[in-house]
Amino acid sequence: MSVASELIRGNTETIILAQLMKRDGYGYMVNKAILNMTGGRFELKEATLYTAFRRLEDAGCIVSYWGDETTGARRRYYSITDLGKESYRLRKKEWETAEAVIDKLLSEGEGETI
Amino acid sequence: MSVASELIRGNTETIILAQLMKRDGYGYMVNKAILNMTGGRFELKEATLYTAFRRLEDAGCIVSYWGDETTGARRRYYSITDLGKESYRLRKKEWETAEAVIDKLLSEGEGETI
DNA sequence: CGAAATACCTTGACAGGCGAGGTATCACGA
DNA sequence: TCGTGATACCTCGCCTGTCAAGGTATTTCG
């Protein structure tokens, strides 16, 4: 089953930060990494991806710099800041809380089992 | 920790359907049930609640009828339809898929442990 | 030479959540 | 009796994140 994007909403920035926790990356690469990690089940739309990068940079969670590629298309690399790392940990906790709450609320829909 | 509403987005209808899987209910009651089940951590905003009921009814997932209260405020009761039950199961599966994907993507942000 | 992949970006529309406002009833205490 | 809080419903308009659609430029490969 593919992933309903309504349900991902609010997690895109956290997902991007998670990628950047490992190493610096550029947009296209980050998205391909996400695609690979999910076995092709999920990929951010480009417009979503780049607007999320923009928001994260405006918020001081990441900084960007142009790569020094002498060949191929230019790449804008992003690096996570200390603020971004802090923000990532907070967002992750928020996700875990929300996840638990939703799981709990949806687990009640099963009356006809047993 | 309270729940970031951005992360609930897209799940409100499913949460409401889960409540109605158990028994018919009216708006205010459904919301209080949610509040109780989450130990006060989460509650739908009224505007969100009622617009969600409206969408669900328009989609044929629920039907409504006025209660026969002779005293107190009038209550609009909602009952889940077969289509609604079907929809609930699908939405729940979608949630589980999204949950697994996000968990996977966020689990990668932990390099510095160990 | 043309197509596909890489790589970036912006605009405008859309949908869901919600603040703020409204209505009406009832219970309770000052 | 008069206000306050709880119950119970509803709507309007704004905000925010997503995304379709469009654009640019380079390189590789047939």
Side-chain angles (χ1 to χ4, degrees):
Chain A
M1 184 181 302
S2 71
V3 181
S5 67
E6 259 315 301
L7 301 180
I8 298 290
R9 193 183 171 113
N11 287 290
T12 35
E13 294 176 20
T14 316
I15 289 168
I16 289 171
L17 289 178
Q19 291 296 319
L20 298 179
M21 286 290 277
K22 293 184 283 185
R23 70 189 75 82
D24 287 10
Y26 56 97
Y28 200 86
M29 187 204 79
V30 165
N31 212 18
K32 290 305 164 201
I34 291 169
L35 186 67
N36 284 334
M37 282 179 64
T38 59
R41 282 179 302 168
F42 182 63
E43 181 180 27
L44 294 169
K45 303 300 176 299
E46 286 201 3
T48 305
L49 181 77
Y50 291 113
T51 53
F53 274 125
R54 177 62 53 95
R55 283 196 305 273
L56 285 168
E57 189 158 28
D58 287 346
C61 289
I62 58 176
V63 287
S64 68
Y65 55 95
W66 288 102
D68 60 353
E69 288 75 37
T70 49
T71 175
R74 73 214 162 127
R75 296 171 177 170
R76 187 196 282 275
Y77 283 84
Y78 295 95
S79 182
I80 192 167
T81 62
D82 285 342
L83 181 63
K85 290 177 188 174
E86 183 66 22
S87 175
Y88 169 72
R89 290 186 202 101
L90 178 62
R91 288 165 196 259
K92 198 176 177 218
K93 278 206 187 72
E94 284 176 349
W95 159 250
E96 281 156 7
T97 304
E99 187 182 22
V101 163
I102 297 171
D103 274 348
K104 167 91 176 156
L105 289 170
L106 298 194
S107 69
E108 294 277 330
E110 291 133 13
E112 50 252 281
T113 358
I114 299 175
Chain B
M1 186 180 300
S2 72
V3 182
S5 66
E6 257 319 299
L7 301 179
I8 299 291
R9 194 183 172 115
N11 287 290
T12 37
E13 292 175 21
T14 316
I15 289 169
I16 289 170
L17 289 177
Q19 291 297 317
L20 298 178
M21 285 291 278
K22 292 184 283 185
R23 72 190 73 82
D24 286 11
Y26 56 96
Y28 201 86
M29 188 205 79
V30 165
N31 213 16
K32 291 304 163 198
I34 290 168
L35 186 66
N36 285 334
M37 282 180 63
T38 57
R41 281 178 301 167
F42 182 63
E43 181 179 29
L44 293 169
K45 302 301 173 300
E46 287 200 4
T48 306
L49 182 76
Y50 291 112
T51 53
F53 274 125
R54 177 62 52 95
R55 282 195 306 271
L56 285 168
E57 189 158 28
D58 288 346
C61 289
I62 59 177
V63 288
S64 69
Y65 55 94
W66 287 102
D68 59 354
E69 289 74 38
T70 49
T71 176
R74 73 212 162 129
R75 296 172 177 170
R76 186 195 284 273
Y77 284 83
Y78 294 96
S79 183
I80 192 166
T81 62
D82 285 342
L83 181 63
K85 289 176 188 175
E86 183 65 22
S87 175
Y88 169 72
R89 290 185 200 101
L90 177 62
R91 288 163 196 261
K92 196 173 178 224
K93 277 205 186 71
E94 283 176 348
W95 158 250
E96 281 156 7
T97 305
E99 187 180 21
V101 163
I102 296 171
D103 274 348
K104 168 93 176 153
L105 289 170
L106 297 195
S107 69
E108 294 277 328
E110 292 133 9
E112 52 253 282
T113 357
I114 299 174

Coordinates of all heavy atoms in Angstrom, one line a residue, chain A residues 26-72:
Chain A
Y26 N 21.8 17.1 -0.4 CA 21.1 18.1 -1.2 C 19.8 17.5 -1.5 O 19.5 16.3 -1.4 CB 21.9 18.4 -2.5 CG 22.3 17.2 -3.3 CD1 21.6 16.8 -4.4 CD2 23.5 16.4 -3.0 CE1 21.9 15.7 -5.2 CE2 23.8 15.3 -3.8 CZ 23.0 15.0 -4.9 OH 23.4 13.9 -5.6
G27 N 18.9 18.4 -2.0 CA 17.5 18.0 -2.1 C 17.2 16.7 -2.8 O 16.5 15.8 -2.3
Y28 N 17.7 16.7 -4.0 CA 17.4 15.5 -4.9 C 17.8 14.2 -4.2 O 17.1 13.2 -4.2 CB 18.1 15.7 -6.2 CG 17.6 14.8 -7.3 CD1 16.5 15.3 -8.1 CD2 18.1 13.6 -7.6 CE1 16.0 14.5 -9.1 CE2 17.6 12.8 -8.7 CZ 16.6 13.3 -9.4 OH 16.1 12.5 -10.4
M29 N 19.0 14.3 -3.6 CA 19.6 13.1 -2.9 C 18.8 12.7 -1.7 O 18.5 11.5 -1.5 CB 21.0 13.4 -2.5 CG 21.8 12.2 -1.9 SD 23.1 12.7 -0.8 CE 22.2 13.1 0.7
V30 N 18.4 13.6 -0.9 CA 17.6 13.4 0.3 C 16.3 12.7 -0.1 O 15.9 11.7 0.5 CB 17.2 14.7 1.0 CG1 16.1 14.5 2.0 CG2 18.5 15.2 1.7
N31 N 15.7 13.1 -1.2 CA 14.4 12.5 -1.7 C 14.6 11.1 -2.2 O 13.8 10.2 -1.9 CB 13.8 13.4 -2.7 CG 12.3 13.3 -2.7 OD1 11.7 12.9 -1.7 ND2 11.6 13.7 -3.8
K32 N 15.7 10.9 -2.9 CA 16.0 9.5 -3.4 C 16.3 8.6 -2.2 O 15.9 7.4 -2.2 CB 17.2 9.5 -4.3 CG 16.9 10.2 -5.7 CD 15.7 9.6 -6.4 CE 15.2 10.5 -7.5 NZ 13.8 10.2 -7.8
A33 N 17.0 9.1 -1.2 CA 17.3 8.3 0.0 C 16.0 7.9 0.7 O 15.8 6.7 1.1 CB 18.1 9.1 1.0
I34 N 15.0 8.8 0.8 CA 13.7 8.5 1.4 C 13.0 7.5 0.5 O 12.4 6.5 1.1 CB 12.8 9.8 1.4 CG1 13.4 10.8 2.5 CG2 11.4 9.5 1.7 CD1 12.8 12.2 2.5
L35 N 13.1 7.6 -0.8 CA 12.4 6.7 -1.7 C 13.0 5.3 -1.5 O 12.3 4.3 -1.4 CB 12.7 7.1 -3.1 CG 12.0 6.3 -4.2 CD1 10.5 6.4 -4.1 CD2 12.4 6.8 -5.6
N36 N 14.3 5.2 -1.4 CA 15.0 3.9 -1.2 C 14.7 3.3 0.2 O 14.4 2.1 0.3 CB 16.5 4.1 -1.3 CG 17.0 4.2 -2.7 OD1 16.3 3.8 -3.6 ND2 18.1 4.9 -2.9
M37 N 14.7 4.1 1.2 CA 14.4 3.6 2.6 C 13.0 3.1 2.7 O 12.8 2.2 3.6 CB 14.6 4.7 3.6 CG 16.1 5.0 3.9 SD 16.2 6.3 5.1 CE 15.4 5.6 6.5
T38 N 12.1 3.5 1.9 CA 10.7 3.1 2.1 C 10.4 2.1 1.0 O 9.2 1.7 0.8 CB 9.8 4.3 2.0 OG1 10.0 4.9 0.7 CG2 10.0 5.3 3.1
G39 N 11.4 1.6 0.3 CA 11.2 0.6 -0.7 C 10.2 1.1 -1.8 O 9.4 0.3 -2.4
G40 N 10.4 2.4 -2.2 CA 9.6 2.9 -3.2 C 8.1 3.3 -2.8 O 7.4 3.8 -3.7
R41 N 7.8 3.1 -1.6 CA 6.4 3.4 -1.2 C 6.2 4.9 -0.9 O 5.0 5.3 -0.9 CB 6.1 2.6 0.2 CG 5.8 1.2 0.0 CD 5.5 0.5 1.3 NE 6.7 0.7 2.2 CZ 6.6 0.4 3.5 NH1 5.5 0.0 4.0 NH2 7.7 0.5 4.3
F42 N 7.2 5.6 -0.7 CA 7.0 7.0 -0.4 C 8.1 7.9 -0.9 O 9.3 7.5 -0.9 CB 6.9 7.2 1.1 CG 6.6 8.6 1.5 CD1 5.5 9.3 1.1 CD2 7.5 9.4 2.2 CE1 5.2 10.6 1.4 CE2 7.3 10.7 2.5 CZ 6.1 11.3 2.1
E43 N 7.7 9.1 -1.4 CA 8.6 10.1 -2.0 C 8.0 11.4 -1.8 O 6.8 11.5 -2.0 CB 8.8 9.7 -3.5 CG 9.8 10.6 -4.2 CD 9.9 10.3 -5.7 OE1 9.0 9.7 -6.2 OE2 10.9 10.6 -6.2
L44 N 8.7 12.4 -1.4 CA 8.2 13.7 -1.3 C 8.0 14.4 -2.7 O 8.9 14.1 -3.6 CB 9.1 14.6 -0.5 CG 9.2 14.3 1.0 CD1 10.3 15.0 1.7 CD2 7.9 14.5 1.7
K45 N 7.0 15.2 -2.9 CA 6.9 15.9 -4.1 C 7.9 17.0 -4.1 O 8.2 17.6 -3.0 CB 5.5 16.5 -4.3 CG 4.3 15.4 -4.2 CD 4.5 14.4 -5.3 CE 3.4 13.3 -5.2 NZ 3.5 12.6 -3.9
E46 N 8.4 17.4 -5.3 CA 9.5 18.4 -5.3 C 9.1 19.7 -4.7 O 9.8 20.3 -3.9 CB 9.9 18.6 -6.7 CG 10.7 17.5 -7.3 CD 11.6 17.9 -8.5 OE1 11.5 19.1 -8.8 OE2 12.2 17.0 -9.1
A47 N 7.9 20.2 -5.0 CA 7.4 21.4 -4.4 C 7.4 21.4 -2.9 O 7.8 22.3 -2.2 CB 6.1 21.8 -4.9
T48 N 7.0 20.3 -2.4 CA 6.9 20.0 -0.9 C 8.3 20.0 -0.3 O 8.6 20.7 0.7 CB 6.2 18.7 -0.6 OG1 4.9 18.7 -1.3 CG2 6.0 18.5 0.9
L49 N 9.2 19.3 -1.0 CA 10.5 19.2 -0.5 C 11.2 20.5 -0.4 O 11.8 20.9 0.6 CB 11.3 18.3 -1.5 CG 12.8 18.0 -1.3 CD1 12.9 16.9 -0.2 CD2 13.4 17.5 -2.6
Y50 N 11.2 21.3 -1.5 CA 11.9 22.5 -1.5 C 11.3 23.6 -0.6 O 12.0 24.4 0.0 CB 12.1 23.0 -2.9 CG 13.1 22.1 -3.7 CD1 12.6 21.4 -4.8 CD2 14.4 22.0 -3.3 CE1 13.5 20.5 -5.5 CE2 15.3 21.2 -4.0 CZ 14.8 20.4 -5.1 OH 15.7 19.6 -5.8
T51 N 10.0 23.6 -0.5 CA 9.4 24.6 0.4 C 9.7 24.2 1.9 O 9.9 25.1 2.7 CB 7.9 24.7 0.3 OG1 7.3 23.4 0.3 CG2 7.5 25.3 -1.1
A52 N 9.9 22.9 2.1 CA 10.2 22.5 3.5 C 11.7 22.9 3.8 O 11.9 23.3 4.9 CB 10.1 21.0 3.6
F53 N 12.6 22.7 2.8 CA 13.9 23.2 3.0 C 14.0 24.7 3.4 O 14.7 25.1 4.3 CB 14.8 22.9 1.8 CG 15.4 21.5 1.7 CD1 15.2 20.7 0.6 CD2 16.2 21.1 2.7 CE1 15.7 19.5 0.5 CE2 16.8 19.8 2.6 CZ 16.5 19.0 1.5
R54 N 13.2 25.4 2.6 CA 13.1 26.8 2.8 C 12.7 27.2 4.2 O 13.3 28.0 4.9 CB 12.2 27.4 1.8 CG 11.9 28.9 1.9 CD 13.2 29.7 1.7 NE 13.9 29.4 0.4 CZ 13.7 30.0 -0.7 NH1 12.9 31.1 -0.8 NH2 14.4 29.6 -1.8
R55 N 11.6 26.5 4.7 CA 11.1 26.8 6.0 C 12.1 26.4 7.1 O 12.3 27.2 8.1 CB 9.8 26.0 6.3 CG 8.6 26.5 5.7 CD 7.3 25.9 6.3 NE 7.3 24.4 6.2 CZ 6.9 23.7 5.2 NH1 6.4 24.3 4.1 NH2 6.9 22.4 5.3
L56 N 12.8 25.3 6.9 CA 13.8 24.9 7.8 C 15.0 25.8 7.9 O 15.5 26.1 9.0 CB 14.3 23.5 7.5 CG 13.4 22.3 7.8 CD1 13.8 21.0 7.2 CD2 13.2 22.1 9.3
E57 N 15.3 26.4 6.7 CA 16.4 27.3 6.7 C 16.0 28.6 7.4 O 16.8 29.2 8.2 CB 16.9 27.6 5.3 CG 18.2 28.4 5.3 CD 19.0 28.2 4.0 OE1 18.4 27.9 2.9 OE2 20.2 28.4 4.0
D58 N 14.8 29.1 7.1 CA 14.3 30.3 7.7 C 14.3 30.2 9.2 O 14.5 31.2 9.9 CB 12.9 30.7 7.2 CG 13.0 31.2 5.7 OD1 14.1 31.5 5.2 OD2 11.9 31.2 5.1
A59 N 14.0 29.0 9.7 CA 13.9 28.7 11.1 C 15.2 28.5 11.8 O 15.3 28.4 13.0 CB 13.0 27.5 11.4
G60 N 16.3 28.5 11.0 CA 17.6 28.3 11.5 C 17.9 26.9 11.9 O 18.9 26.6 12.6
C61 N 17.2 25.9 11.4 CA 17.4 24.5 11.6 C 18.4 23.9 10.7 O 19.1 22.9 11.0 CB 16.1 23.7 11.5 SG 14.9 24.1 12.8
I62 N 18.6 24.5 9.6 CA 19.6 24.1 8.6 C 20.3 25.3 8.0 O 19.7 26.4 8.0 CB 19.0 23.2 7.5 CG1 17.9 24.0 6.7 CG2 18.4 21.9 8.0 CD1 17.3 23.2 5.5
V63 N 21.5 25.1 7.4 CA 22.1 26.1 6.6 C 22.5 25.5 5.3 O 22.6 24.2 5.2 CB 23.4 26.6 7.3 CG1 23.1 27.5 8.5 CG2 24.4 25.5 7.7
S64 N 22.6 26.3 4.2 CA 22.9 25.7 2.9 C 24.1 26.3 2.3 O 24.6 27.4 2.7 CB 21.7 25.9 2.0 OG 21.5 27.3 1.7
Y65 N 24.7 25.6 1.4 CA 25.9 26.1 0.6 C 25.9 25.3 -0.7 O 25.4 24.2 -0.8 CB 27.2 25.8 1.4 CG 27.4 24.4 1.8 CD1 28.1 23.5 1.0 CD2 26.8 23.9 3.0 CE1 28.3 22.2 1.4 CE2 27.0 22.5 3.4 CZ 27.7 21.7 2.6 OH 27.9 20.4 2.9
W66 N 26.4 26.0 -1.7 CA 26.5 25.4 -3.0 C 27.7 24.4 -3.1 O 28.8 24.8 -2.6 CB 26.7 26.5 -4.1 CG 25.4 27.2 -4.3 CD1 25.1 28.5 -3.9 CD2 24.2 26.8 -5.0 NE1 23.8 28.8 -4.2 CE2 23.2 27.8 -4.9 CE3 23.9 25.6 -5.7 CZ2 22.0 27.7 -5.5 CZ3 22.6 25.5 -6.3 CH2 21.7 26.5 -6.1
G67 N 27.5 23.3 -3.6 CA 28.5 22.3 -3.8 C 29.5 22.8 -4.9 O 29.2 23.7 -5.6
D68 N 30.7 22.2 -4.9 CA 31.7 22.7 -5.8 C 31.8 21.8 -7.0 O 32.9 21.6 -7.6 CB 33.1 22.8 -5.1 CG 33.6 21.5 -4.5 OD1 32.8 20.5 -4.6 OD2 34.7 21.5 -4.0
E69 N 30.7 21.2 -7.4 CA 30.7 20.3 -8.6 C 31.3 21.1 -9.8 O 30.8 22.2 -10.1 CB 29.3 19.9 -9.0 CG 28.7 18.8 -8.0 CD 28.3 19.5 -6.7 OE1 27.8 20.6 -6.7 OE2 28.5 18.8 -5.7
T70 N 32.2 20.5 -10.5 CA 32.7 21.2 -11.7 C 32.0 20.6 -12.9 O 32.1 21.1 -14.0 CB 34.2 20.9 -11.9 OG1 34.4 19.5 -11.7 CG2 35.0 21.6 -10.8
T71 N 31.3 19.6 -12.7 CA 30.5 19.0 -13.8 C 29.1 18.6 -13.3 O 28.9 18.5 -12.1 CB 31.2 17.7 -14.3 OG1 30.3 17.1 -15.3 CG2 31.4 16.7 -13.2
G72 N 28.1 18.5 -14.2 CA 26.8 18.2 -13.8 C 26.0 19.3 -13.2 O 26.6 20.5 -13.2

